[in-house]
């Protein structure tokens, strides 16, 4: 039977307003069908814009379904070799059938989508996340709940992509195709990284972080958004407090990724174009 998204949305919105409906068979079936659609990549928490431009569309009702899925699950013990886990959520299975490489002890929860060609080094991918074709999730990187990661992205070691379930109005972290995210970078609160951007090691971007383009005669400021092909490093700016003036973190756009730079170049090579090492 085909998935009816309009009917599923109506069921979820009703259950969100009246949690007693979670006890009904129709609501349980709708929630479970939505998580299955997420797991297979046929449904997304955020829909990318059309090829001719536009904005991302956040599907709040899908996030609501993920939240409603938790109380429907029962705690259980799972054993993997010498390891024991006690949790409500299932893990993904059949990686070979999905053409995904998973290096122990990487973990991805059921309800997260991993496209063919994804490589998971020892890392964690949470429910509702979407990881596009050919993306590398490197060692100890975290793809938070509902984060959206495009094709051919490299999430370097220790990268943290924040999760977003509540409040449901909040946008997920979005990393567009071909971006390179440097080690120990932290990207949270619904920030968006444009296509083929290069984020230097240790950059922290939240929804309110000042991202300052310093490549022109005058600075140009963004909040929570890195334009496509930008090369970004950590920075700081002065801010006045009652106790005096102090430096607070920001991110600096120091240039654009050059057309001559291969899309699979290392972060160090991309930064070397601008005389910066991090």
């Amino acid at each position: 039977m085909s998935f009816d998204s309009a009917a599923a949305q109506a069921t979820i919105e009703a259950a969100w307003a009246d949690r007693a409906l979670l006890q009904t068979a129709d609501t349980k079936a709708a929630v479970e069908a939505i998580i299955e659609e997420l797991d297979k990549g046929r449904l997304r928490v955020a829909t990318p814009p059309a090829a001719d431009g536009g904005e991302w569309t956040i599907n709040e009702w899908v996030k609501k379904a993920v939240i409603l899925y938790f109380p429907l699950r029962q705690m259980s013990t799972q054993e993997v070799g010498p390891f024991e886990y006690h949790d409500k959520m299932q893990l993904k299975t059949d990686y070979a059938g999905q053409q995904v490489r998973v290096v122990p002890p990487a973990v991805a929860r059921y309800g997260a989508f991993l496209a063919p060609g994804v490589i998971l080094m020892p890392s964690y991918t949470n429910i509702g996340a979407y990881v596009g074709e050919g993306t590398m999730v490197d060692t100890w990187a975290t793809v938070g709940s509902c984060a959206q990661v495009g094709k051919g992205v490299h999430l370097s070691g220790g990268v943290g992509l924040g999760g977003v379930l509540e409040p449901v109005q909040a946008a997920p972290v979005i990393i567009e195709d071909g971006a390179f995210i440097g080690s120990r970078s932290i990207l949270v609160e619904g920030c968006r990284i444009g296509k083929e951007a290069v984020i230097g090691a240790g950059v922290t971007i939240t929804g309110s972080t000042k991202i300052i383009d310093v490549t022109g005669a005058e600075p140009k400021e963004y909040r929570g958004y890195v334009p496509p092909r930008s090369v970004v490093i950590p920075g700081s700016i002065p801010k006045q407090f009652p106790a005096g003036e102090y430096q607070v973190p920001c991110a600096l756009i120091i240039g654009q990724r050059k057309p001559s730079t291969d899309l699979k170049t290392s972060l160090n090579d991309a930064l070397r174009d601008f005389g910066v090492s991090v």
Side-chain angles (χ1 to χ4, degrees), residues 157-224:
V159 164
L161 304 186
V164 58
L165 285 176
E166 297 186 84
V168 293
Q169 298 85 1
V173 171
I174 295 172
I175 312 296
E176 296 185 342
D177 296 353
F180 193 112
I181 313 300
S183 295
R184 300 301 191 267
S185 293
I186 300 172
L187 309 174
V188 297
E189 294 180 11
C191 68
R192 178 160 66 98
I193 309 302
K195 290 183 178 181
E196 299 175 9
V198 175
I199 307 300
V203 171
T204 296
I205 297 177
T206 72
S208 58
T209 298
K210 288 187 177 183
I211 302 163
I212 306 171
D213 187 335
V214 296
T215 60
E218 297 291 334
K220 183 177 181 180
E221 187 175 306
Y222 300 88
R223 292 291 183 109

Side-chain angles (χ1 to χ4, degrees), residues 1-259:
M1 186 171 63
S2 62
F3 177 74
D4 186 337
S5 61
Q9 180 176 358
T11 301
I12 293 304
E13 295 291 5
W16 189 257
D18 180 4
R19 299 301 172 93
L21 293 174
L22 276 176
Q23 305 307 313
T24 67
D26 287 348
T27 300
K28 290 179 181 179
V31 171
E32 290 172 358
I34 290 166
I35 304 305
E36 174 72 7
E37 292 295 298
L38 284 171
D39 189 76
K40 297 299 184 289
R42 297 186 290 256
L43 182 66
R44 296 179 63 167
V45 167
T47 305
D52 56 355
E55 296 295 326
W56 283 76
T57 301
I58 310 303
N59 301 313
E60 293 179 8
W61 67 275
V62 179
K63 284 201 291 180
K64 291 176 181 177
V66 175
I67 295 169
L68 294 175
Y69 184 61
F70 281 82
L72 295 180
R73 303 291 303 166
Q74 301 298 315
M75 295 291 290
S76 65
T77 297
Q78 303 173 52
E79 294 184 359
V80 183
F83 300 101
E84 180 181 294
Y85 300 94
H86 190 58
D87 189 28
K88 288 187 172 186
M89 309 301 285
Q90 295 175 300
L91 301 181
K92 288 185 71 70
T93 57
D94 189 30
Y95 288 117
Q98 297 168 51
Q99 302 176 58
V100 174
R101 179 185 172 194
V102 181
V103 178
V107 173
R109 270 177 160 175
Y110 172 70
F113 174 69
L114 305 174
V118 166
I119 298 174
L120 299 184
M121 298 302 286
S123 57
Y124 183 79
T125 302
N126 208 348
I127 187 171
Y130 183 103
V131 182
E133 186 175 341
T135 284
M136 161 73 83
V137 182
D138 220 329
T139 305
W140 307 135
T142 301
V143 182
S145 57
C146 302
Q148 304 291 295
V149 182
K151 299 177 182 178
V153 171
H154 189 121
L155 302 179
S156 300
V159 164
L161 304 186
V164 58
L165 285 176
E166 297 186 84
V168 293
Q169 298 85 1
V173 171
I174 295 172
I175 312 296
E176 296 185 342
D177 296 353
F180 193 112
I181 313 300
S183 295
R184 300 301 191 267
S185 293
I186 300 172
L187 309 174
V188 297
E189 294 180 11
C191 68
R192 178 160 66 98
I193 309 302
K195 290 183 178 181
E196 299 175 9
V198 175
I199 307 300
V203 171
T204 296
I205 297 177
T206 72
S208 58
T209 298
K210 288 187 177 183
I211 302 163
I212 306 171
D213 187 335
V214 296
T215 60
E218 297 291 334
K220 183 177 181 180
E221 187 175 306
Y222 300 88
R223 292 291 183 109
Y225 169 65
V226 173
R229 299 189 65 82
S230 298
V231 177
V232 181
I233 64 170
S236 64
I237 53 175
K239 184 174 181 179
Q240 192 67 39
F241 295 91
E245 184 177 272
Y246 296 89
Q247 297 291 317
V248 296
C250 70
L252 300 177
I253 298 174
I254 60 169
Q256 291 285 300
R257 195 170 185 169
K258 296 181 178 179

